[in-house]
Amino acid sequence: MAGRFTGSFTQQEALPAEAVEAAVAVLQSGRLHRYNLAPGERGEVALLEAEYRDWQGSDYCLAVTSGGQAIQIALRASGVAEGDAVLTNAFTLAPVPGAIAAVGGRPVLVETDITLRPDLNDLADKITGSGAQYLLLSHMRGHLCDMERLMQICDAAGVTVIEDCAHTMGAKWNGIRSGNFGRVACFSTQTYKHINSGEGGFVTTRDAELAARATILSGSYMLYARHGAGPEQGAFAGARYDMPNCSARMDALRAAILRPQLARLEGNIRRWNALYRIVESGLAGHARIALIDRPGAESYVGSSIQFRLPGLAAGQCRAVLAAAGARGVELKWFGAGEPVGFTSSHESWHFMAAQALPGTDRIMATLFDMRLPLTFSRADCALIAGLIREAVSEVAP
Ligand SMILES: *Cc1c(COP(=O)(O)O)cnc(C)c1O
């Protein structure tokens, strides 16, 4: 065996010194709750909301406790009610159908195509077949679909689009930021996403009344005037009485550590993409390895990479996992029968009605996934790509 990678696939970078100082200042102030403000103080959460709104190029931004809470709040604020059908990708992570189930909705899964994007023909068929009026579009693993065509299909059918941008914070389609296509967008600031507060999330929208409903849902009590990027007070006229308080507010400590990270995000996107291109070109040209197409219209954030090993049987895929693991390379496989770590398939989501997705199953059966933390060097990435080639060749010469 040629080599072995000895680094960690789950080690994030330390937070910038500025974030540590801001955190200490919040701790010394004792004012950790977002509405606990000194006279004249705007507070870290309100400042972060305004900065994220401006960076995203939206009208309103609400900071919440997690990406999953952002999705639940966005679904309810969009009007999803008990028993409503909500379309979503079959290839996504458990918190996505989980959020639909949590608000009483009925997930209707859309097939995934060979580029890991939702199959837009199946989407059109399932809109007609299910009568669903909502699509929770998960830009899973950062792969943006043809957003113009998707919006055409949904607009023509009167389907409200809620974007799950947990993997596309900073990505663009034809120059437009992911999250600015649908009626409302959800982001995560959980440790493994693009900015890190442990847990956290955002809801962004251009719809003032939706923003007001989301704000009341997040648990603002009647203190919504203290928000940093919320709508005019008039927009709250209905929401203040109609929306239940779900207590999902972001706190000052998390906001304080996110602000310096947001300021560094563009630079970090360039760093991620440099690592991604090294792994991608290192895997290219291997007869067994199929890379995932990246359309020219897409500006992605390469914080993870996926590839397929078409033609390999389940036993061989398992052997590739083991051979890569023996070389210190931690791959995830979406074809496993049982959910492992963060990875699962629609067949293990027993909280919803089982659905037949033969196209998605065929793709996930040989689909592999790997994280690219910014603690990897360029040399690490070149080594890892070589080790993956070796592992695949060992199993399937
Ligand atoms: C992480 C993730 C979420 C949920 O975000 P949390 O902040 O962990 O709740 C939603 N969708 C996708 C695709 C994710 O990867």
Side-chain angles (χ1 to χ4, degrees):
M1 196 189 291
R4 195 184 144 81
F5 178 65
T6 53
S8 164
F9 279 78
T10 51
Q11 180 59 54
Q12 309 305 318
E13 288 192 297
L15 298 197
E18 218 183 302
V20 176
E21 284 159 27
V24 170
V26 168
L27 293 173
Q28 285 170 337
S29 79
R31 293 187 299 278
L32 273 74
H33 194 280
R34 68 168 296 162
Y35 301 127
N36 185 198
L37 302 171
E41 186 185 25
R42 272 189 87 192
E44 293 286 346
V45 184
L47 289 166
L48 173 67
E49 286 170 334
E51 288 164 7
Y52 195 77
R53 171 202 59 200
D54 294 346
W55 186 84
Q56 176 64 25
S58 192
D59 287 348
Y60 308 111
C61 174
L62 171 72
V64 295
T65 44
S66 72
Q69 278 297 329
I71 299 173
Q72 290 182 40
I73 287 169
L75 289 170
R76 291 181 86 153
S78 299
V80 174
E82 191 76 31
D84 284 349
V86 181
L87 296 148
T88 194
N89 317 42
F91 171 54
T92 187
L93 294 187
V96 177
I100 297 172
V103 305
R106 222 164 15 90
V108 176
L109 301 179
V110 176
E111 290 273 31
T112 297
D113 68 20
I114 205 156
T115 70
L116 308 187
R117 292 152 175 94
D119 175 337
L120 298 185
N121 296 324
D122 191 54
L123 171 66
D125 290 347
K126 286 200 171 135
I127 289 174
T128 312
S130 68
Q133 289 175 14
Y134 303 94
L135 167 65
L136 173 55
L137 172 65
S138 176
H139 302 299
M140 179 61 174
R141 288 294 186 260
H143 297 281
L144 292 169
C145 69
D146 179 340
M147 289 304 298
E148 287 95 15
R149 191 167 158 233
L150 177 124
M151 290 310 300
Q152 251 166 29
I153 293 168
C154 291
D155 287 345
V159 167
T160 298
V161 177
I162 297 123
E163 290 184 71
D164 166 19
C165 303
H167 300 161
T168 54
M169 179 185 281
K172 294 177 186 163
W173 179 265
N174 274 326
I176 297 173
R177 270 200 207 286
S178 138
N180 291 350
F181 289 89
R183 185 151 174 231
V184 52
C186 310
F187 300 85
S188 170
T189 64
Q190 189 237 74
T191 293
Y192 301 109
K193 315 296 164 102
H194 298 169
I195 51 178
N196 173 12
S197 59
E199 302 280 1
F202 299 115
V203 177
T204 65
T205 182
R206 292 212 154 88
D207 180 326
E209 292 191 344
L210 192 156
R213 288 193 292 275
T215 305
I216 301 288
L217 282 162
S218 78
S220 68
Y221 302 98
M222 295 300 143
L223 299 168
Y224 44 78
R226 297 184 196 174
H227 278 246
E232 298 292 335
Q233 301 306 293
F236 288 85
R240 55 187 267 131
Y241 303 109
D242 294 347
M243 288 291 120
N245 176 328
C246 300
S247 280
R249 300 166 297 271
M250 183 176 278
D251 59 86
L253 187 55
R254 293 192 224 183
I257 63 176
L258 286 171
R259 292 180 59 211
Q261 294 181 69
L262 179 59
R264 287 163 176 77
L265 181 54
E266 292 292 353
N268 281 344
I269 291 172
R270 285 191 290 276
R271 293 173 62 212
W272 258 307
N273 289 347
L275 300 181
Y276 182 95
R277 285 185 200 111
I278 292 169
V279 177
E280 186 184 47
S281 63
L283 296 178
H286 189 289
R288 295 285 192 178
I289 301 176
L291 295 168
I292 309 300
D293 181 45
R294 307 252 44 165
E298 178 198 43
S299 322
Y300 56 85
V301 183
S303 53
S304 70
I305 188 162
Q306 294 71 45
F307 60 88
R308 296 182 307 113
L309 300 176
L312 266 66
Q316 290 176 297
C317 289
R318 230 170 272 123
V320 168
L321 277 187
R327 291 168 169 84
V329 176
E330 210 180 289
L331 297 179
K332 300 280 160 24
W333 174 42
F334 279 99
E338 280 296 313
V340 181
F342 291 102
T343 308
S344 68
S345 88
H346 67 93
E347 280 162 358
S348 17
W349 304 335
H350 293 184
F351 51 81
M352 52 179 268
Q355 294 165 46
L357 293 140
T360 303
D361 293 346
R362 212 175 309 118
I363 288 153
M364 288 180 66
T366 64
L367 178 63
F368 289 79
D369 177 40
M370 188 179 85
R371 274 199 188 115
L372 288 173
L374 287 175
T375 48
F376 284 4
S377 68
R378 290 168 186 233
D380 290 339
C381 289
L383 172 66
I384 288 167
L387 294 171
I388 293 173
R389 292 179 80 99
E390 270 182 30
V392 174
S393 297
E394 183 181 288
V395 172

